[in-house]
Amino acid sequence: MRLDADDLATFVQVVDCGTLTAAALRLGLAKSVVSKRVAALEAQLGVRLLHRAPRRMTATEAGALLHARARTLLAQLDSLAEDISAQAGTLRGSIRMAGPMSFGTRCLGPAISSFMCRYEQIEISLDLDDRHVDLLAGGYDLAVRIGRLGDSSLRSRRLGTSHRVLCCSAGYAERVGLPQSLEDLSTHACLGYANVPSGHIWRFMPKGGGEHRSVVVRGRLTVNTGEALLDAARAGLGLTMLPSFMVGQEVAAGQLMPVSLPGWVPVPDIIHVVYPETPMLPLKLRALIEHLAGAITEPFPWDTALALQALPPRPPKR
């Protein structure tokens, strides 16, 4: 019995993604084609491979065994084909990538463009959204994320530090005044970020190191994009805490002013590129990850302009 490689690849994606729809999106196929391939594989093997539920499909015991073996074999085949192509100086294929909106538009564009100029047969679909996306369910090969990593099933590579800056417009400072302590933040209009549950919790750490403190803030406006927060802060609607890559130019131009709280600084985030765990990472993804790590390097110009120091480097997770 010889199994069809396309049927195996389709089945693996269905298990990885959890639904026919997500698998079809990742594979670039019609949902009906995905369904027929899985059904053909079950008919050929004479076993049920999937538990079918309205919201998510999971592998049966036989399906889990097939998934593990097929995934390894397919990764080896892909790696072999790419390595042979690479020997001829050719790297080809498509990559589906996700990233945060503001960082993507301001920082990822040049890195992606230079990668595609270097590898002319690579196709990239870049999906920018400030909301957290599920890589497997969304059909993504990798993503750039800023913040704490909560999904231990993903592998990661550290790209750098994203400092956060407490700031406001000069007009707001003249009208309301500036906070002088963490406790003063409760008396100010603070602009909230809606894409995370902790969007109204601002975290600070002592300048000399020590225990972090979280402050619950309130304000009239809550939005789900950093760009809208930036617009609101420029308009004088309140204090905001934004990444340094967003406010560096605004501070230099005098549109925003940084706000210092004696003895405290905002807790920074870490920028990672994350990707699913796989026995053999495709060469095209390895090449893109290495390119991003080389193109997005500290010290960042926006941090230098704001006199922010990079955190000591941490060993990258591979």
Side-chain angles (χ1 to χ4, degrees):
M1 179 187 301
R2 177 171 295 177
L3 301 178
D4 185 274
D6 288 337
D7 290 348
L8 287 174
T10 301
F11 171 72
V12 167
Q13 291 302 326
V14 171
V15 175
D16 285 347
C17 297
T19 66
L20 294 175
T21 300
L25 179 63
R26 183 172 189 133
L27 293 166
L29 298 173
K31 180 179 176 181
S32 60
V33 173
V34 173
S35 179
K36 288 179 181 177
R37 286 185 178 179
V38 173
L41 196 57
E42 289 182 319
Q44 187 176 4
L45 293 172
V47 295
R48 186 179 181 185
L49 298 173
L50 294 170
H51 295 298
R52 291 166 170 83
R55 296 192 173 209
R56 189 166 184 86
M57 292 182 169
T58 57
T60 63
E61 183 177 354
L65 175 61
L66 179 64
H67 174 264
R69 297 272 185 92
R71 192 176 185 186
T72 299
L73 290 172
L74 291 168
Q76 291 174 343
L77 286 174
D78 287 344
S79 180
L80 174 62
E82 290 175 346
D83 287 348
I84 296 300
S85 295
Q87 290 294 322
T90 302
L91 195 63
R92 68 182 73 216
S94 60
I95 298 173
R96 193 157 187 259
M97 179 179 178
M101 177 68 74
S102 300
F103 187 78
T105 55
R106 292 167 180 252
C107 309
L108 273 182
I112 297 298
S113 297
S114 59
F115 179 79
M116 297 187 72
C117 287
R118 181 177 179 183
Y119 300 105
E120 296 183 353
Q121 296 190 53
I122 289 287
E123 299 177 359
I124 294 181
S125 174
L126 177 59
D127 188 357
L128 298 179
D129 196 317
D130 283 342
R131 291 174 297 179
H132 183 90
V133 298
D134 186 316
L135 261 65
L136 292 177
Y140 297 101
D141 296 299
L142 54 81
V144 171
R145 287 183 176 166
I146 301 177
R148 289 169 289 177
L149 299 180
D151 190 345
S152 60
S153 69
L154 299 177
R155 304 188 73 180
S156 65
R157 175 77 176 267
R158 184 184 185 277
L159 299 180
T161 304
S162 174
H163 290 280
R164 302 184 74 80
V165 179
L166 181 64
C167 56
C168 67
S169 69
Y172 177 86
E174 292 172 1
R175 187 174 72 254
V176 180
L178 296 177
Q180 300 301 313
S181 67
L182 294 182
E183 292 72 20
D184 285 350
L185 290 174
S186 64
T187 66
H188 282 264
C190 298
L191 306 172
Y193 183 58
N195 273 336
V196 293
S198 58
H200 284 94
I201 300 176
W202 291 356
R203 299 171 64 241
F204 296 85
M205 64 182 187
K207 287 184 178 180
E211 186 175 353
H212 297 180
R213 282 188 59 184
S214 296
V215 179
V216 178
V217 298
R218 294 287 183 267
R220 292 189 298 133
L221 179 66
T222 301
V223 294
N224 65 350
T225 71
E227 299 295 337
L229 285 176
L230 189 61
D231 289 340
R234 283 192 296 239
L237 293 182
L239 297 169
T240 188
M241 195 152 70
L242 287 169
S244 56
F245 64 80
M246 293 190 65
V247 301
Q249 292 182 349
E250 279 68 18
V251 170
Q255 296 179 346
L256 291 176
M257 56 184 293
V259 177
S260 297
L261 297 178
W264 297 92
V265 294
V267 174
D269 292 318
I270 306 299
I271 308 168
H272 289 97
V273 56
V274 298
Y275 48 97
E277 178 75 40
T278 181
M280 298 184 70
L281 190 67
L283 185 59
K284 62 188 178 183
L285 298 186
R286 295 202 302 268
L288 178 54
I289 291 168
E290 290 297 328
H291 184 84
L292 291 175
I296 303 172
T297 58
E298 296 174 300
F300 297 129
W302 49 83
D303 288 341
T304 302
L306 292 168
L308 295 173
Q309 300 298 318
L311 290 180
R314 299 180 181 180
K317 295 181 180 179
R318 295 181 182 273

